[in-house]
Amino acid sequence: MTSFELVAPGRVLFGSGSVKEAGRTAAALGRRALVVTGRDMSRAEVLLWSLAAGKVDALPFPAAGEPSVEMVGRALEVARGAECDMVIGFGGGSAIDLAKAVAAMLANDGSLLDYLEVVGRGRALGNPSVPWMAIPTTAGSGAEVTRNAVITSGQHRVKVSLRSPGMLARVAIVDPDLTRGLPSAVTAAGGLDALSQLIEPFVCLKANPVVDGFCREGLVRSARSLRRACSGPEDPAAREDLALASMLGGLALANAGLGAVHGIAGPFGGVFGAPHGAVCGRLLPEVVAANVEALQERVPQSLALVRYAEIAQALTGSKKAVAPDAAEWLRDLAEAIGIPGLASYGMKPADVPGIIKKSLAASSMKANPVVLSEEELRGILDRAL
């Protein structure tokens, strides 16, 4: 018998121009908002205008880079000092994850390390987050619809999660227009992050019928539009496809699981400070190839093999495609849109054993459709160099 849990934000607004609804929507949640943005606050002018029209006070908090334990602490101090009663994340996955963590900690006592996985005490958050809204300006992480925030611990050189169903956004506003004009490198990395979050939940040990639908729809949209968006940054149809695929990937991972791509990417990013999406994009074809080979050898009756063949057909557009074709298509895509090898971030062969050790302890690895040996993980990293 099938059983599963379905979690999602309280409300999702999707479509061109939907960011203009932010002020009216926020006014129903609070009166003073900490607005977490990326480094370039000028992109948030349309949001700040809408908040002013809705009579919501906005306290901007620009943040550069991926959220760290220290960054969460600084943002939390600012929000408490200004008596903010809500949080808005406007930006890429990093800005949204930072907003998500701050909203959670505003509602809970103690320090962030009390609640972080792996490097902290791993306590459950006792209270749901204060009201918060997510407005992505990139298409990739799907963080607007997930219930975890990825935080870097510089002390431990690893990325870990703050996680709770109570961390879901009250409202997610996904406006594809906000992603138009993004640099090709940002589009490429984000698009491959989203693609990995559509492939891994579809084949993972926790897949379910609802997630299957999210993944199938997202795969088709990603396959037909990622290259187009990288070469034509103003293409509205491609941007809409990628924004929707990103959101569907976020819903998929929030309601199923991931796998070895994210199991490796998290520890790798923590050690080398590399951009998450680009790392996922480089690892994805090698993990797909390793999983398919391991399944064929050890679990030939696995449903995941059938699903990898379906993925190959969705990506290539050919009904004759078979499971190994997925990895080849993904390699060609990564090459075409300029995803660099892992060596470009400073990884050397001598670093591989340490990355493998941390990867084996990652929560994402537990849902991979087949248990990969240390030797197989080493092969993935070697080929991704």
Side-chain angles (χ1 to χ4, degrees), residues 17 114 157 342 353:
D114 289 331
R157 300 184 72 197
L342 300 184

Side-chain angles (χ1 to χ4, degrees), residues 61-352:
F61 185 90
E66 297 181 343
S68 64
V69 172
E70 294 76 18
M71 195 184 297
V72 173
R74 290 196 298 272
L76 189 59
E77 184 178 356
V78 170
R80 284 176 172 157
E83 298 183 347
C84 294
D85 57 3
M86 67 174 295
V87 181
I88 299 174
F90 180 94
S94 294
I96 291 175
D97 273 359
L98 178 56
K100 194 183 304 185
V102 171
M105 291 306 301
L106 281 174
N108 287 275
D109 296 328
S111 73
L112 180 61
L113 284 173
D114 289 331
Y115 304 102
L116 281 179
E117 299 175 350
V118 184
V119 301
R121 298 172 185 84
R123 286 173 46 196
L125 290 163
N127 301 312
S129 300
V130 301
W132 78 281
M133 290 172 50
I135 307 175
T137 62
T138 62
S141 73
E144 68 272 15
V145 294
T146 63
R147 50 179 165 176
N148 72 296
V150 179
I151 310 294
T152 298
S153 171
Q155 176 186 353
H156 302 90
R157 300 184 72 197
V158 70
K159 293 181 183 181
V160 294
S161 279
L162 179 68
R163 190 187 311 272
S164 170
M167 290 173 61
L168 287 160
R170 293 287 185 89
V171 182
I173 298 178
V174 184
D175 186 339
D177 289 350
L178 295 175
T179 71
R180 290 174 65 175
L182 286 175
S184 177
V186 175
T187 299
L192 280 168
D193 189 12
L195 196 50
S196 69
Q197 290 170 180
L198 292 162
I199 290 174
E200 292 205 289
F202 190 56
V203 299
C204 82
L205 298 177
K206 299 179 182 178
N208 66 64
V210 174
V211 165
D212 292 349
F214 295 153
C215 295
R216 288 185 172 109
E217 180 70 18
L219 281 168
V220 171
R221 290 177 180 268
S222 289
R224 75 187 182 195
S225 291
L226 182 48
R227 291 191 194 216
R228 275 175 42 210
C230 288
S231 59
E234 297 294 338
D235 186 328
R239 291 293 175 183
E240 180 174 295
D241 269 352
L242 295 189
L244 187 53
S246 176
M247 187 186 76
L248 291 171
L251 288 168
L253 76 88
N255 289 285
L258 290 165
V261 172
H262 284 79
I264 299 170
F268 183 93
V271 172
F272 295 102
H276 176 76
V279 173
C280 286
R282 189 65 179 185
L283 290 168
L284 181 59
E286 309 313 330
V287 168
V288 169
N291 278 346
V292 168
E293 185 175 343
L295 288 165
Q296 288 174 332
E297 290 178 357
R298 301 199 289 273
V299 201
Q301 73 281 9
S302 171
L303 176 61
L305 272 177
V306 177
R307 292 185 169 223
Y308 273 122
E310 186 176 343
I311 289 167
Q313 291 162 14
L315 296 178
T316 64
S318 170
K319 292 297 183 183
K320 296 181 179 179
V322 292
D325 295 335
E328 287 304 313
W329 188 92
L330 290 165
R331 285 193 190 104
D332 290 344
L333 174 66
E335 180 70 22
I337 61 179
I339 299 299
L342 300 184
S344 65
Y345 306 113
M347 188 176 87
K348 300 176 178 62
D351 298 315
V352 169

